[in-house]
Amino acid sequence: MENLTQYIVALLAIIIAFVIIKKVASCLIRTVVGIVLVAVLAYIYIMYMQ
């Protein structure tokens, strides 16, 4: 019965880690896309002003 409890705890830990990584990754992806968009807009602005 102890092994079953260990497997359940390990499975829960994997699920929780997956959910946390998914939330952090989605936020990170949004941040990277935002930075790229700001860089592109800055490049267009600089080229337009010349």
Side-chain angles (χ1 to χ4, degrees):
M1 201 60 167
E2 292 177 16
N3 287 340
L4 181 62
T5 305
Q6 288 177 344
Y7 288 129
I8 291 172
V9 170
L11 184 62
L12 286 174
I14 290 170
I15 292 171
I16 292 170
F18 178 75
V19 169
I20 291 172
I21 290 171
K22 184 178 174 185
K23 288 187 182 285
V24 170
S26 67
C27 182
L28 182 62
I29 290 170
R30 276 188 246 145
T31 302
V32 169
V33 169
I35 291 171
V36 168
L37 287 176
V38 168
V40 168
L41 290 174
Y43 177 76
I44 291 171
Y45 177 75
I46 290 170
M47 294 312 265
Y48 178 73
M49 294 303 287
Q50 289 181 349

